[in-house]
PDB file of all heavy atoms in Angstrom:
ATOM      1  N   GLY A1198      95.263 125.077  91.423  1.00 71.00           N
ATOM      2  CA  GLY A1198      95.172 125.255  89.976  1.00 71.00           C
ATOM      3  C   GLY A1198      96.459 125.656  89.296  1.00 71.00           C
ATOM      4  O   GLY A1198      96.468 125.919  88.090  1.00 71.00           O
ATOM      5  N   GLN A1199      97.547 125.719  90.042  1.00 75.00           N
ATOM      6  CA  GLN A1199      98.817 126.125  89.454  1.00 75.00           C
ATOM      7  C   GLN A1199      99.578 124.914  88.929  1.00 75.00           C
ATOM      8  O   GLN A1199      99.329 123.788  89.332  1.00 75.00           O
ATOM      9  CB  GLN A1199      99.656 126.872  90.490  1.00 75.00           C
ATOM     10  CG  GLN A1199      98.998 128.152  90.997  1.00 75.00           C
ATOM     11  CD  GLN A1199      99.827 128.839  92.066  1.00 75.00           C
ATOM     12  OE1 GLN A1199     100.900 128.367  92.443  1.00 75.00           O
ATOM     13  NE2 GLN A1199      99.332 129.963  92.567  1.00 75.00           N
ATOM     14  N   GLY A1200     100.511 125.191  87.995  1.00 75.00           N
ATOM     15  CA  GLY A1200     101.321 124.123  87.434  1.00 75.00           C
ATOM     16  C   GLY A1200     100.716 123.564  86.162  1.00 75.00           C
ATOM     17  O   GLY A1200      99.515 123.705  85.893  1.00 75.00           O
ATOM     18  N   THR A1201     101.542 122.928  85.373  1.00 82.00           N
ATOM     19  CA  THR A1201     101.082 122.337  84.114  1.00 82.00           C
ATOM     20  C   THR A1201     100.248 121.090  84.394  1.00 82.00           C
ATOM     21  O   THR A1201     100.268 120.531  85.501  1.00 82.00           O
ATOM     22  CB  THR A1201     102.278 121.959  83.238  1.00 82.00           C
ATOM     23  OG1 THR A1201     103.035 120.932  83.894  1.00 82.00           O
ATOM     24  CG2 THR A1201     103.173 123.177  82.981  1.00 82.00           C
ATOM     25  N   GLU A1202      99.528 120.652  83.389  1.00 85.00           N
ATOM     26  CA  GLU A1202      98.700 119.469  83.541  1.00 85.00           C
ATOM     27  C   GLU A1202      99.558 118.229  83.784  1.00 85.00           C
ATOM     28  O   GLU A1202      99.161 117.326  84.530  1.00 85.00           O
ATOM     29  CB  GLU A1202      97.840 119.274  82.294  1.00 85.00           C
ATOM     30  CG  GLU A1202      96.783 118.199  82.431  1.00 85.00           C
ATOM     31  CD  GLU A1202      95.796 118.469  83.568  1.00 85.00           C
ATOM     32  OE1 GLU A1202      95.600 119.659  83.940  1.00 85.00           O
ATOM     33  OE2 GLU A1202      95.240 117.496  84.101  1.00 85.00           O
ATOM     34  N   ILE A1203     100.735 118.192  83.174  1.00 88.00           N
ATOM     35  CA  ILE A1203     101.647 117.062  83.402  1.00 88.00           C
ATOM     36  C   ILE A1203     102.091 117.029  84.861  1.00 88.00           C
ATOM     37  O   ILE A1203     102.147 115.969  85.489  1.00 88.00           O
ATOM     38  CB  ILE A1203     102.877 117.169  82.477  1.00 88.00           C
ATOM     39  CG1 ILE A1203     102.452 117.004  81.015  1.00 88.00           C
ATOM     40  CG2 ILE A1203     103.919 116.111  82.853  1.00 88.00           C
ATOM     41  CD1 ILE A1203     103.580 117.146  80.031  1.00 88.00           C
ATOM     42  N   PHE A1204     102.389 118.224  85.413  1.00 89.00           N
ATOM     43  CA  PHE A1204     102.784 118.312  86.817  1.00 89.00           C
ATOM     44  C   PHE A1204     101.661 117.839  87.727  1.00 89.00           C
ATOM     45  O   PHE A1204     101.881 117.088  88.675  1.00 89.00           O
ATOM     46  CB  PHE A1204     103.179 119.748  87.160  1.00 89.00           C
ATOM     47  CG  PHE A1204     103.409 119.969  88.635  1.00 89.00           C
ATOM     48  CD1 PHE A1204     104.582 119.542  89.236  1.00 89.00           C
ATOM     49  CD2 PHE A1204     102.434 120.596  89.421  1.00 89.00           C
ATOM     50  CE1 PHE A1204     104.800 119.754  90.598  1.00 89.00           C
ATOM     51  CE2 PHE A1204     102.644 120.792  90.777  1.00 89.00           C
ATOM     52  CZ  PHE A1204     103.832 120.371  91.361  1.00 89.00           C
ATOM     53  N   ARG A1205     100.427 118.266  87.440  1.00 90.00           N
ATOM     54  CA  ARG A1205      99.284 117.903  88.273  1.00 90.00           C
ATOM     55  C   ARG A1205      98.999 116.408  88.184  1.00 90.00           C
ATOM     56  O   ARG A1205      98.659 115.772  89.184  1.00 90.00           O
ATOM     57  CB  ARG A1205      98.054 118.719  87.874  1.00 90.00           C
ATOM     58  CG  ARG A1205      98.248 120.226  88.044  1.00 90.00           C
ATOM     59  CD  ARG A1205      97.000 121.029  87.711  1.00 90.00           C
ATOM     60  NE  ARG A1205      96.019 120.905  88.775  1.00 90.00           N
ATOM     61  CZ  ARG A1205      94.878 120.226  88.679  1.00 90.00           C
ATOM     62  NH1 ARG A1205      94.589 119.575  87.559  1.00 90.00           N
ATOM     63  NH2 ARG A1205      94.030 120.174  89.691  1.00 90.00           N
ATOM     64  N   LYS A1206      99.138 115.830  86.986  1.00 92.00           N
ATOM     65  CA  LYS A1206      98.950 114.385  86.853  1.00 92.00           C
ATOM     66  C   LYS A1206     100.016 113.618  87.628  1.00 92.00           C
ATOM     67  O   LYS A1206      99.728 112.613  88.284  1.00 92.00           O
ATOM     68  CB  LYS A1206      98.984 113.982  85.378  1.00 92.00           C
ATOM     69  CG  LYS A1206      97.713 114.321  84.617  1.00 92.00           C
ATOM     70  CD  LYS A1206      97.776 113.789  83.188  1.00 92.00           C
ATOM     71  CE  LYS A1206      96.466 114.078  82.452  1.00 92.00           C
ATOM     72  NZ  LYS A1206      96.494 113.581  81.057  1.00 92.00           N
ATOM     73  N   GLY A1207     101.240 114.110  87.554  1.00 93.00           N
ATOM     74  CA  GLY A1207     102.312 113.475  88.322  1.00 93.00           C
ATOM     75  C   GLY A1207     102.061 113.552  89.807  1.00 93.00           C
ATOM     76  O   GLY A1207     102.345 112.608  90.564  1.00 93.00           O
ATOM     77  N   LEU A1208     101.488 114.682  90.242  1.00 93.00           N
ATOM     78  CA  LEU A1208     101.216 114.879  91.665  1.00 93.00           C
ATOM     79  C   LEU A1208     100.110 113.953  92.153  1.00 93.00           C
ATOM     80  O   LEU A1208     100.221 113.357  93.243  1.00 93.00           O
ATOM     81  CB  LEU A1208     100.831 116.347  91.907  1.00 93.00           C
ATOM     82  CG  LEU A1208     101.033 116.903  93.323  1.00 93.00           C
ATOM     83  CD1 LEU A1208     102.485 116.731  93.771  1.00 93.00           C
ATOM     84  CD2 LEU A1208     100.632 118.374  93.357  1.00 93.00           C
ATOM     85  N   ILE A1209      99.046 113.790  91.361  1.00 93.00           N
ATOM     86  CA  ILE A1209      97.963 112.913  91.792  1.00 93.00           C
ATOM     87  C   ILE A1209      98.423 111.457  91.776  1.00 93.00           C
ATOM     88  O   ILE A1209      98.036 110.660  92.641  1.00 93.00           O
ATOM     89  CB  ILE A1209      96.701 113.107  90.913  1.00 93.00           C
ATOM     90  CG1 ILE A1209      95.524 112.312  91.483  1.00 93.00           C
ATOM     91  CG2 ILE A1209      96.944 112.693  89.476  1.00 93.00           C
ATOM     92  CD1 ILE A1209      95.041 112.747  92.823  1.00 93.00           C
ATOM     93  N   ILE A1210      99.272 111.114  90.829  1.00 94.00           N
ATOM     94  CA  ILE A1210      99.830 109.755  90.804  1.00 94.00           C
ATOM     95  C   ILE A1210     100.698 109.520  92.029  1.00 94.00           C
ATOM     96  O   ILE A1210     100.633 108.458  92.668  1.00 94.00           O
ATOM     97  CB  ILE A1210     100.627 109.519  89.510  1.00 94.00           C
ATOM     98  CG1 ILE A1210      99.678 109.486  88.305  1.00 94.00           C
ATOM     99  CG2 ILE A1210     101.425 108.217  89.585  1.00 94.00           C
ATOM    100  CD1 ILE A1210     100.385 109.433  86.968  1.00 94.00           C
ATOM    101  N   LEU A1211     101.511 110.515  92.371  1.00 95.00           N
ATOM    102  CA  LEU A1211     102.352 110.412  93.571  1.00 95.00           C
ATOM    103  C   LEU A1211     101.487 110.219  94.810  1.00 95.00           C
ATOM    104  O   LEU A1211     101.785 109.363  95.659  1.00 95.00           O
ATOM    105  CB  LEU A1211     103.207 111.670  93.719  1.00 95.00           C
ATOM    106  CG  LEU A1211     104.014 111.768  95.028  1.00 95.00           C
ATOM    107  CD1 LEU A1211     105.069 110.666  95.079  1.00 95.00           C
ATOM    108  CD2 LEU A1211     104.652 113.156  95.156  1.00 95.00           C
ATOM    109  N   GLY A1212     100.423 111.011  94.917  1.00 94.00           N
ATOM    110  CA  GLY A1212      99.535 110.876  96.064  1.00 94.00           C
ATOM    111  C   GLY A1212      98.914 109.498  96.154  1.00 94.00           C
ATOM    112  O   GLY A1212      98.862 108.892  97.234  1.00 94.00           O
ATOM    113  N   ALA A1213      98.453 108.982  95.010  1.00 93.00           N
ATOM    114  CA  ALA A1213      97.837 107.655  95.000  1.00 93.00           C
ATOM    115  C   ALA A1213      98.848 106.579  95.361  1.00 93.00           C
ATOM    116  O   ALA A1213      98.550 105.663  96.146  1.00 93.00           O
ATOM    117  CB  ALA A1213      97.230 107.380  93.623  1.00 93.00           C
ATOM    118  N   VAL A1214     100.046 106.675  94.816  1.00 95.00           N
ATOM    119  CA  VAL A1214     101.084 105.668  95.064  1.00 95.00           C
ATOM    120  C   VAL A1214     101.468 105.640  96.539  1.00 95.00           C
ATOM    121  O   VAL A1214     101.581 104.565  97.159  1.00 95.00           O
ATOM    122  CB  VAL A1214     102.324 105.919  94.186  1.00 95.00           C
ATOM    123  CG1 VAL A1214     103.501 105.063  94.648  1.00 95.00           C
ATOM    124  CG2 VAL A1214     102.010 105.635  92.721  1.00 95.00           C
ATOM    125  N   VAL A1215     101.673 106.821  97.124  1.00 95.00           N
ATOM    126  CA  VAL A1215     102.073 106.882  98.535  1.00 95.00           C
ATOM    127  C   VAL A1215     100.974 106.312  99.427  1.00 95.00           C
ATOM    128  O   VAL A1215     101.240 105.521 100.348  1.00 95.00           O
ATOM    129  CB  VAL A1215     102.406 108.334  98.942  1.00 95.00           C
ATOM    130  CG1 VAL A1215     102.585 108.439 100.455  1.00 95.00           C
ATOM    131  CG2 VAL A1215     103.669 108.807  98.228  1.00 95.00           C
ATOM    132  N   ASN A1216      99.718 106.687  99.176  1.00 94.00           N
ATOM    133  CA  ASN A1216      98.613 106.185  99.996  1.00 94.00           C
ATOM    134  C   ASN A1216      98.438 104.680  99.849  1.00 94.00           C
ATOM    135  O   ASN A1216      98.263 103.967 100.847  1.00 94.00           O
ATOM    136  CB  ASN A1216      97.314 106.902  99.614  1.00 94.00           C
ATOM    137  CG  ASN A1216      97.186 108.265 100.259  1.00 94.00           C
ATOM    138  OD1 ASN A1216      96.972 108.379 101.461  1.00 94.00           O
ATOM    139  ND2 ASN A1216      97.320 109.307  99.464  1.00 94.00           N
ATOM    140  N   LEU A1217      98.497 104.200  98.614  1.00 93.00           N
ATOM    141  CA  LEU A1217      98.336 102.765  98.392  1.00 93.00           C
ATOM    142  C   LEU A1217      99.525 101.972  98.929  1.00 93.00           C
ATOM    143  O   LEU A1217      99.362 100.841  99.405  1.00 93.00           O
ATOM    144  CB  LEU A1217      98.143 102.486  96.900  1.00 93.00           C
ATOM    145  CG  LEU A1217      96.813 102.965  96.307  1.00 93.00           C
ATOM    146  CD1 LEU A1217      96.780 102.731  94.806  1.00 93.00           C
ATOM    147  CD2 LEU A1217      95.633 102.261  96.981  1.00 93.00           C
ATOM    148  N   ALA A1218     100.719 102.570  98.850  1.00 94.00           N
ATOM    149  CA  ALA A1218     101.901 101.896  99.395  1.00 94.00           C
ATOM    150  C   ALA A1218     101.788 101.760 100.910  1.00 94.00           C
ATOM    151  O   ALA A1218     102.138 100.719 101.487  1.00 94.00           O
ATOM    152  CB  ALA A1218     103.164 102.667  99.021  1.00 94.00           C
ATOM    153  N   LEU A1219     101.310 102.811 101.548  1.00 93.00           N
ATOM    154  CA  LEU A1219     101.114 102.778 102.999  1.00 93.00           C
ATOM    155  C   LEU A1219     100.113 101.697 103.372  1.00 93.00           C
ATOM    156  O   LEU A1219     100.372 100.864 104.260  1.00 93.00           O
ATOM    157  CB  LEU A1219     100.625 104.146 103.480  1.00 93.00           C
ATOM    158  CG  LEU A1219     100.451 104.315 104.993  1.00 93.00           C
ATOM    159  CD1 LEU A1219     101.820 104.383 105.679  1.00 93.00           C
ATOM    160  CD2 LEU A1219      99.648 105.584 105.292  1.00 93.00           C
ATOM    161  N   LEU A1220      98.977 101.698 102.676  1.00 92.00           N
ATOM    162  CA  LEU A1220      97.953 100.696 102.944  1.00 92.00           C
ATOM    163  C   LEU A1220      98.459  99.296 102.601  1.00 92.00           C
ATOM    164  O   LEU A1220      98.239  98.337 103.342  1.00 92.00           O
ATOM    165  CB  LEU A1220      96.698 101.018 102.125  1.00 92.00           C
ATOM    166  CG  LEU A1220      95.474 100.132 102.332  1.00 92.00           C
ATOM    167  CD1 LEU A1220      94.988 100.225 103.774  1.00 92.00           C
ATOM    168  CD2 LEU A1220      94.356 100.528 101.373  1.00 92.00           C
ATOM    169  N   GLY A1221      99.168  99.192 101.471  1.00 92.00           N
ATOM    170  CA  GLY A1221      99.667  97.899 101.033  1.00 92.00           C
ATOM    171  C   GLY A1221     100.664  97.290 101.994  1.00 92.00           C
ATOM    172  O   GLY A1221     100.624  96.088 102.275  1.00 92.00           O
ATOM    173  N   TYR A1222     101.556  98.122 102.535  1.00 92.00           N
ATOM    174  CA  TYR A1222     102.564  97.595 103.460  1.00 92.00           C
ATOM    175  C   TYR A1222     101.911  97.051 104.730  1.00 92.00           C
ATOM    176  O   TYR A1222     102.159  95.908 105.137  1.00 92.00           O
ATOM    177  CB  TYR A1222     103.576  98.679 103.824  1.00 92.00           C
ATOM    178  CG  TYR A1222     104.506  98.259 104.936  1.00 92.00           C
ATOM    179  CD1 TYR A1222     105.542  97.359 104.696  1.00 92.00           C
ATOM    180  CD2 TYR A1222     104.327  98.733 106.237  1.00 92.00           C
ATOM    181  CE1 TYR A1222     106.385  96.944 105.725  1.00 92.00           C
ATOM    182  CE2 TYR A1222     105.170  98.330 107.263  1.00 92.00           C
ATOM    183  CZ  TYR A1222     106.190  97.432 107.010  1.00 92.00           C
ATOM    184  OH  TYR A1222     107.009  97.024 108.027  1.00 92.00           O
ATOM    185  N   PHE A1223     101.093  97.858 105.366  1.00 91.00           N
ATOM    186  CA  PHE A1223     100.530  97.454 106.645  1.00 91.00           C
ATOM    187  C   PHE A1223      99.480  96.355 106.502  1.00 91.00           C
ATOM    188  O   PHE A1223      99.342  95.509 107.385  1.00 91.00           O
ATOM    189  CB  PHE A1223      99.920  98.662 107.367  1.00 91.00           C
ATOM    190  CG  PHE A1223     100.932  99.549 108.026  1.00 91.00           C
ATOM    191  CD1 PHE A1223     101.335 100.732 107.425  1.00 91.00           C
ATOM    192  CD2 PHE A1223     101.506  99.186 109.225  1.00 91.00           C
ATOM    193  CE1 PHE A1223     102.275 101.553 108.038  1.00 91.00           C
ATOM    194  CE2 PHE A1223     102.462  99.995 109.842  1.00 91.00           C
ATOM    195  CZ  PHE A1223     102.843 101.181 109.228  1.00 91.00           C
ATOM    196  N   LYS A1224      98.744  96.360 105.391  1.00 91.00           N
ATOM    197  CA  LYS A1224      97.617  95.439 105.278  1.00 91.00           C
ATOM    198  C   LYS A1224      97.932  94.191 104.478  1.00 91.00           C
ATOM    199  O   LYS A1224      97.359  93.117 104.741  1.00 91.00           O
ATOM    200  CB  LYS A1224      96.430  96.180 104.659  1.00 91.00           C
ATOM    201  CG  LYS A1224      95.095  95.475 104.857  1.00 91.00           C
ATOM    202  CD  LYS A1224      93.946  96.417 104.585  1.00 91.00           C
ATOM    203  CE  LYS A1224      92.620  95.759 104.927  1.00 91.00           C
ATOM    204  NZ  LYS A1224      91.482  96.694 104.790  1.00 91.00           N
ATOM    205  N   TYR A1225      98.846  94.296 103.490  1.00 91.00           N
ATOM    206  CA  TYR A1225      99.007  93.190 102.558  1.00 91.00           C
ATOM    207  C   TYR A1225     100.414  92.615 102.470  1.00 91.00           C
ATOM    208  O   TYR A1225     100.614  91.624 101.763  1.00 91.00           O
ATOM    209  CB  TYR A1225      98.555  93.631 101.158  1.00 91.00           C
ATOM    210  CG  TYR A1225      97.147  94.175 101.141  1.00 91.00           C
ATOM    211  CD1 TYR A1225      96.907  95.537 100.980  1.00 91.00           C
ATOM    212  CD2 TYR A1225      96.053  93.329 101.307  1.00 91.00           C
ATOM    213  CE1 TYR A1225      95.613  96.037 100.977  1.00 91.00           C
ATOM    214  CE2 TYR A1225      94.760  93.815 101.309  1.00 91.00           C
ATOM    215  CZ  TYR A1225      94.542  95.184 101.146  1.00 91.00           C
ATOM    216  OH  TYR A1225      93.267  95.672 101.151  1.00 91.00           O
ATOM    217  N   ALA A1226     101.383  93.209 103.151  1.00 91.00           N
ATOM    218  CA  ALA A1226     102.760  92.736 103.015  1.00 91.00           C
ATOM    219  C   ALA A1226     102.907  91.282 103.457  1.00 91.00           C
ATOM    220  O   ALA A1226     103.508  90.458 102.755  1.00 91.00           O
ATOM    221  CB  ALA A1226     103.706  93.640 103.810  1.00 91.00           C
ATOM    222  N   ASN A1227     102.375  90.945 104.620  1.00 90.00           N
ATOM    223  CA  ASN A1227     102.464  89.563 105.101  1.00 90.00           C
ATOM    224  C   ASN A1227     101.759  88.595 104.156  1.00 90.00           C
ATOM    225  O   ASN A1227     102.265  87.506 103.867  1.00 90.00           O
ATOM    226  CB  ASN A1227     101.864  89.443 106.505  1.00 90.00           C
ATOM    227  CG  ASN A1227     102.730  90.076 107.582  1.00 90.00           C
ATOM    228  OD1 ASN A1227     102.261  90.926 108.346  1.00 90.00           O
ATOM    229  ND2 ASN A1227     103.997  89.685 107.649  1.00 90.00           N
ATOM    230  N   PHE A1228     100.605  88.983 103.672  1.00 90.00           N
ATOM    231  CA  PHE A1228      99.835  88.148 102.745  1.00 90.00           C
ATOM    232  C   PHE A1228     100.615  87.922 101.452  1.00 90.00           C
ATOM    233  O   PHE A1228     100.688  86.795 100.940  1.00 90.00           O
ATOM    234  CB  PHE A1228      98.497  88.829 102.456  1.00 90.00           C
ATOM    235  CG  PHE A1228      97.644  88.113 101.445  1.00 90.00           C
ATOM    236  CD1 PHE A1228      97.065  86.884 101.734  1.00 90.00           C
ATOM    237  CD2 PHE A1228      97.410  88.678 100.196  1.00 90.00           C
ATOM    238  CE1 PHE A1228      96.271  86.227 100.801  1.00 90.00           C
ATOM    239  CE2 PHE A1228      96.626  88.032  99.253  1.00 90.00           C
ATOM    240  CZ  PHE A1228      96.051  86.804  99.562  1.00 90.00           C
ATOM    241  N   PHE A1229     101.232  88.971 100.941  1.00 90.00           N
ATOM    242  CA  PHE A1229     102.004  88.868  99.698  1.00 90.00           C
ATOM    243  C   PHE A1229     103.210  87.941  99.873  1.00 90.00           C
ATOM    244  O   PHE A1229     103.461  87.059  99.048  1.00 90.00           O
ATOM    245  CB  PHE A1229     102.460  90.257  99.259  1.00 90.00           C
ATOM    246  CG  PHE A1229     103.360  90.242  98.059  1.00 90.00           C
ATOM    247  CD1 PHE A1229     102.846  90.060  96.777  1.00 90.00           C
ATOM    248  CD2 PHE A1229     104.737  90.402  98.201  1.00 90.00           C
ATOM    249  CE1 PHE A1229     103.679  90.041  95.670  1.00 90.00           C
ATOM    250  CE2 PHE A1229     105.576  90.383  97.105  1.00 90.00           C
ATOM    251  CZ  PHE A1229     105.045  90.193  95.836  1.00 90.00           C
ATOM    252  N   VAL A1230     103.958  88.119 100.956  1.00 91.00           N
ATOM    253  CA  VAL A1230     105.150  87.306 101.190  1.00 91.00           C
ATOM    254  C   VAL A1230     104.775  85.836 101.402  1.00 91.00           C
ATOM    255  O   VAL A1230     105.429  84.930 100.862  1.00 91.00           O
ATOM    256  CB  VAL A1230     105.945  87.846 102.392  1.00 91.00           C
ATOM    257  CG1 VAL A1230     107.057  86.878 102.792  1.00 91.00           C
ATOM    258  CG2 VAL A1230     106.535  89.217 102.071  1.00 91.00           C
ATOM    259  N   ASP A1231     103.718  85.588 102.149  1.00 89.00           N
ATOM    260  CA  ASP A1231     103.287  84.212 102.398  1.00 89.00           C
ATOM    261  C   ASP A1231     102.914  83.507 101.095  1.00 89.00           C
ATOM    262  O   ASP A1231     103.281  82.339 100.870  1.00 89.00           O
ATOM    263  CB  ASP A1231     102.097  84.189 103.357  1.00 89.00           C
ATOM    264  CG  ASP A1231     102.482  84.593 104.773  1.00 89.00           C
ATOM    265  OD1 ASP A1231     103.687  84.591 105.075  1.00 89.00           O
ATOM    266  OD2 ASP A1231     101.571  84.928 105.564  1.00 89.00           O
ATOM    267  N   ASN A1232     102.192  84.198 100.227  1.00 90.00           N
ATOM    268  CA  ASN A1232     101.780  83.584  98.963  1.00 90.00           C
ATOM    269  C   ASN A1232     102.941  83.475  97.985  1.00 90.00           C
ATOM    270  O   ASN A1232     103.001  82.528  97.195  1.00 90.00           O
ATOM    271  CB  ASN A1232     100.634  84.386  98.337  1.00 90.00           C
ATOM    272  CG  ASN A1232      99.296  84.097  98.993  1.00 90.00           C
ATOM    273  OD1 ASN A1232      98.627  83.134  98.664  1.00 90.00           O
ATOM    274  ND2 ASN A1232      98.928  84.934  99.957  1.00 90.00           N
ATOM    275  N   LEU A1233     103.871  84.417  98.047  1.00 89.00           N
ATOM    276  CA  LEU A1233     105.065  84.334  97.212  1.00 89.00           C
ATOM    277  C   LEU A1233     105.885  83.105  97.585  1.00 89.00           C
ATOM    278  O   LEU A1233     106.357  82.360  96.711  1.00 89.00           O
ATOM    279  CB  LEU A1233     105.903  85.605  97.370  1.00 89.00           C
ATOM    280  CG  LEU A1233     107.124  85.736  96.454  1.00 89.00           C
ATOM    281  CD1 LEU A1233     106.679  85.880  95.002  1.00 89.00           C
ATOM    282  CD2 LEU A1233     107.975  86.938  96.862  1.00 89.00           C
ATOM    283  N   ASN A1234     106.039  82.877  98.873  1.00 89.00           N
ATOM    284  CA  ASN A1234     106.767  81.694  99.335  1.00 89.00           C
ATOM    285  C   ASN A1234     106.055  80.407  98.923  1.00 89.00           C
ATOM    286  O   ASN A1234     106.700  79.410  98.562  1.00 89.00           O
ATOM    287  CB  ASN A1234     106.909  81.726 100.860  1.00 89.00           C
ATOM    288  CG  ASN A1234     107.890  82.793 101.315  1.00 89.00           C
ATOM    289  OD1 ASN A1234     108.784  83.191 100.579  1.00 89.00           O
ATOM    290  ND2 ASN A1234     107.718  83.265 102.540  1.00 89.00           N
ATOM    291  N   LEU A1235     104.734  80.426  98.967  1.00 87.00           N
ATOM    292  CA  LEU A1235     103.957  79.240  98.613  1.00 87.00           C
ATOM    293  C   LEU A1235     104.113  78.902  97.128  1.00 87.00           C
ATOM    294  O   LEU A1235     104.285  77.738  96.758  1.00 87.00           O
ATOM    295  CB  LEU A1235     102.485  79.474  98.945  1.00 87.00           C
ATOM    296  CG  LEU A1235     101.529  78.304  98.694  1.00 87.00           C
ATOM    297  CD1 LEU A1235     101.881  77.127  99.599  1.00 87.00           C
ATOM    298  CD2 LEU A1235     100.084  78.743  98.937  1.00 87.00           C
ATOM    299  N   VAL A1236     104.089  79.927  96.280  1.00 87.00           N
ATOM    300  CA  VAL A1236     104.154  79.709  94.832  1.00 87.00           C
ATOM    301  C   VAL A1236     105.574  79.367  94.386  1.00 87.00           C
ATOM    302  O   VAL A1236     105.789  78.442  93.591  1.00 87.00           O
ATOM    303  CB  VAL A1236     103.639  80.949  94.076  1.00 87.00           C
ATOM    304  CG1 VAL A1236     103.892  80.814  92.571  1.00 87.00           C
ATOM    305  CG2 VAL A1236     102.157  81.159  94.349  1.00 87.00           C
ATOM    306  N   LEU A1237     106.560  80.098  94.907  1.00 87.00           N
ATOM    307  CA  LEU A1237     107.942  79.937  94.438  1.00 87.00           C
ATOM    308  C   LEU A1237     108.757  78.961  95.277  1.00 87.00           C
ATOM    309  O   LEU A1237     109.883  78.609  94.908  1.00 87.00           O
ATOM    310  CB  LEU A1237     108.650  81.300  94.416  1.00 87.00           C
ATOM    311  CG  LEU A1237     108.021  82.376  93.526  1.00 87.00           C
ATOM    312  CD1 LEU A1237     108.834  83.664  93.600  1.00 87.00           C
ATOM    313  CD2 LEU A1237     107.902  81.883  92.074  1.00 87.00           C
TER     314      LEU A1237
END
């Protein structure tokens, strides 16, 4: 419960970004690159 509301919002965003980045890299990186190559 400590810290300003802006700090807490920044912290939850950081947590979400790190978790999703971890999941995104291991699970979706190959899929993203393959489709990027196909489109471009």
Side-chain angles (χ1 to χ4, degrees):
Q1199 299 178 0
T1201 64
E1202 189 59 26
I1203 294 178
F1204 172 77
R1205 299 183 75 251
K1206 284 185 177 180
L1208 203 56
I1209 187 65
I1210 292 173
L1211 173 66
V1214 168
V1215 170
N1216 279 289
L1217 291 176
L1219 184 72
L1220 184 62
Y1222 171 75
F1223 282 101
K1224 197 164 186 175
Y1225 305 107
N1227 288 126
F1228 176 69
F1229 175 77
V1230 171
D1231 290 344
N1232 282 277
L1233 186 67
N1234 289 335
L1235 183 64
V1236 172
L1237 301 180

